[in-house]
């Protein structure tokens, strides 16, 4: 297979480095010229949970040639229509684009590329781009996991091939209830990534601060309620039934779910949200594709999402330079 990772930032660089290390030829592609040049000169420098320098093949988009059997997509969703249109000529007729983005990106990509050329994948680990060619791995290696699924049936054999490739790096789950897996990832991103971005901190900082943890807990509950109303069955995450653990209907279950949160994210406590990384670089973040999706679905179903809505509002104010990502923003929440 001829394989590319398009949008080789923090996660894409780690993925590409691990696949290269395990003998899989893959092109890492990014518009970040300094990052690509550093990868070409020195290889991918991994720090944090692992220290290594791994040679990789890195390209700018304008240097792409020919067509690919498989493209892993890790760009921001804000540009999905433009990116999918750009990639269309580079994807073989029987090729597959595997989106590893957050939120629910498949419908837009399928509209442009065709329903039989798009699959989805959720990632169960995190990383931070700390410099050109340098990526901090913020999750333990034993947490590496991928959940794969097809938005529509028909390409199961290709999905199995993708599974074999990704299994060289971590644990693979092929989701027959892929929309449930998508919503489980959305729950984690909306509650922890959204809260941590608004407060300028890591997942671990959210869990350690009681008020921040309460915000994340409330968003989890809002997401669970919307999933139920949408007839979506949330899939387990790394073997944990998050709906069972964090749904609550009385004060005792609410107390238990609150105290479970630090244990649930302990392996990812150093994770810094990509939304926060974008804000720190002066880039627009994906809040509307993550927390915004939850608020939008809540409005459609008539289910209030007051805490999630506050996170969206605060992050938009941060983007507008009215606020800074800081724990000071806890004062602006009404719980």
């Amino acid at each position: 297979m001829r394989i590319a990772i398009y949008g080789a930032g923090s996660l894409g660089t780690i993925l590409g480095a691990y696949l290269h290390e395990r003998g899989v030829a893959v092109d890492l592609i990014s518009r970040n010229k300094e990052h690509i040049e550093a990868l070409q000169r020195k290889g991918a420098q991994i720090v944090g949970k692992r220290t290594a320098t791994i040679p990789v093949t890195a390209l700018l988009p304008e240097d792409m040639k020919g067509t690919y059997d498989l493209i892993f997509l890790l760009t921001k969703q804000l540009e999905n229509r433009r990116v999918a249109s750009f990639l269309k000529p580079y994807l073989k007729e029987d090729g597959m684009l595997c989106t590893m983005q957050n939120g629910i990106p498949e419908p837009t990509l399928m509209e442009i590329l065709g329903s039989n050329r798009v699959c989805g994948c959720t990632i169960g680990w995190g990383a931070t781009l700390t410099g050109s060619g340098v990526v901090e791995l913020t999750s333990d290696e034993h947490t590496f996991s991928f959940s794969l699924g097809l938005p529509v049936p028909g390409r199961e054999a290709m999905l199995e091939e993708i599974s074999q490739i990704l299994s060289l790096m971590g644990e693979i789950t092929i989701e027959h209830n892929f929309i449930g897996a998508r919503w489980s990832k959305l729950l984690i991103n909306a509650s922890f990534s959204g809260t941590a971005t608004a407060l300028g901190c890591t997942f671990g900082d959210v869990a350690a601060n009681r008020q921040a943890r309460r915000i994340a807990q409330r968003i989890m509950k809002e997401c669970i309620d919307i999933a139920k109303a949408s007839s979506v069955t949330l899939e387990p995450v790394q073997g944990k039934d998050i709906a069972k653990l964090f749904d609550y209907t009385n004060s005792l279950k609410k107390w238990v779910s609150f105290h479970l949160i630090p244990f649930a994210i302990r392996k990812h406590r150093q994770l810094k949200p990509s939304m926060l990384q974008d804000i720190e670089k002066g880039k627009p973040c994906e809040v509307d594709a993550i927390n915004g999706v939850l608020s939008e679905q809540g409005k459609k179903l008539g289910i209030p999402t007051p805490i999630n809505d506050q996170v969206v509002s605060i992050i938009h104010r941060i983007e507008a330079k009215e606020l800074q990502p800081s724990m000071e923003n806890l004062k602006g929440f009404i719980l």
Side-chain angles (χ1 to χ4, degrees):
M1 286 184 112
R2 189 158 187 253
I3 304 170
I5 296 173
Y6 193 86
S10 55
L11 297 177
T13 300
I14 293 284
L15 174 62
Y18 272 77
L19 291 181
H20 264 285
E21 188 178 45
R22 285 150 176 77
V24 178
V26 54
D27 292 343
L28 279 68
I29 304 165
S30 170
R31 292 183 297 173
N32 185 336
K33 187 175 181 179
E34 291 182 355
H35 180 56
I36 290 298
E37 289 177 346
L39 292 175
Q40 291 171 340
R41 289 195 314 270
K42 303 177 183 178
Q45 298 178 68
I46 301 174
V47 298
K49 295 291 184 179
R50 181 188 174 190
T51 302
T53 299
I54 301 171
V56 295
T57 302
L59 305 170
L60 293 167
E62 54 265 35
D63 296 324
M64 294 171 66
K65 291 181 174 63
T67 55
Y68 291 90
D69 300 282
L70 173 63
I71 299 176
F72 292 111
L73 181 63
L74 288 110
T75 55
K76 304 302 179 187
Q77 282 192 67
L78 301 171
E79 300 181 334
N80 265 10
R81 287 190 177 278
R82 184 193 65 78
V83 169
S85 297
F86 170 78
L87 289 176
K88 190 172 184 178
Y90 294 102
L91 187 64
K92 288 185 179 179
E93 283 300 314
D94 61 348
M96 182 75 83
L97 182 138
C98 180
T99 171
M100 292 177 155
Q101 299 164 310
N102 295 319
I104 315 290
E106 287 82 11
T108 298
L109 297 171
M110 291 165 64
E111 180 184 330
I112 295 168
L113 298 173
S115 60
N116 66 334
R117 296 208 293 170
V118 175
C119 69
C121 178
T122 62
I123 295 175
W125 46 275
T128 302
L129 188 65
T130 59
S132 297
V134 184
V135 184
E136 179 184 2
L137 181 60
T138 53
S139 296
D140 295 326
E141 285 186 316
H142 66 265
T143 67
F144 286 168
S145 63
F146 304 88
S147 293
L148 282 167
L150 292 169
V152 295
R155 297 294 302 279
E156 287 77 11
M158 183 62 167
L159 199 69
E160 182 59 36
E161 288 190 59
I162 298 170
S163 171
Q164 293 298 319
I165 292 165
L166 293 176
S167 69
L168 296 171
M169 179 175 174
E171 181 181 349
I172 307 298
T173 302
I174 292 183
E175 301 286 359
H176 300 291
N177 173 27
F178 184 65
I179 190 63
R182 270 287 185 213
W183 271 87
S184 293
K185 185 66 184 291
L186 182 65
L187 179 149
I188 294 167
N189 280 322
S191 55
F192 287 100
S193 293
T195 303
T197 299
L199 302 180
C201 65
T202 65
F203 282 23
D205 295 328
V206 170
N209 182 290
R210 293 182 68 85
Q211 186 179 353
R213 194 196 313 176
R214 191 164 286 112
I215 291 166
Q217 180 192 31
R218 289 283 299 276
I219 296 173
M220 292 169 80
K221 174 62 173 170
E222 290 172 1
C223 189
I224 290 169
D225 288 344
I226 291 170
K228 284 181 180 177
S230 304
S231 300
V232 172
T233 301
L234 293 170
E235 285 295 306
V237 175
Q238 295 182 352
K240 303 294 190 298
D241 188 336
I242 55 177
K244 184 176 181 180
L245 291 172
F246 297 108
D247 194 10
Y248 53 84
T249 54
N250 57 51
S251 57
L252 176 60
K253 288 185 177 180
K254 186 176 182 180
W255 183 89
V256 170
S257 76
F258 181 78
H259 286 85
L260 282 174
I261 287 173
F263 298 98
I265 61 92
R266 68 185 183 278
K267 295 176 183 177
H268 307 286
R269 61 186 180 276
Q270 294 180 343
L271 205 157
K272 184 179 183 180
S274 60
M275 289 195 291
L276 179 56
Q277 295 179 51
D278 287 337
I279 286 172
E280 291 175 343
K281 295 170 186 172
K283 299 178 180 179
C285 75
E286 290 188 295
V287 64
D288 291 329
I290 299 174
N291 296 77
V293 168
L294 189 57
S295 293
E296 182 182 347
Q297 190 68 7
K299 288 175 185 175
K300 287 180 182 178
L301 297 170
I303 297 175
T305 56
I307 309 304
N308 185 68
D309 295 346
Q310 290 178 66
V311 165
V312 174
S313 175
I314 287 172
I315 293 176
H316 280 315
R317 291 183 66 192
I318 291 171
E319 289 184 310
K321 310 297 185 184
E322 296 173 14
L323 295 172
Q324 293 293 322
S326 165
M327 283 289 183
E328 288 293 310
N329 293 331
L330 285 170
K331 298 174 182 176
F333 281 92
I334 300 172
L335 295 174

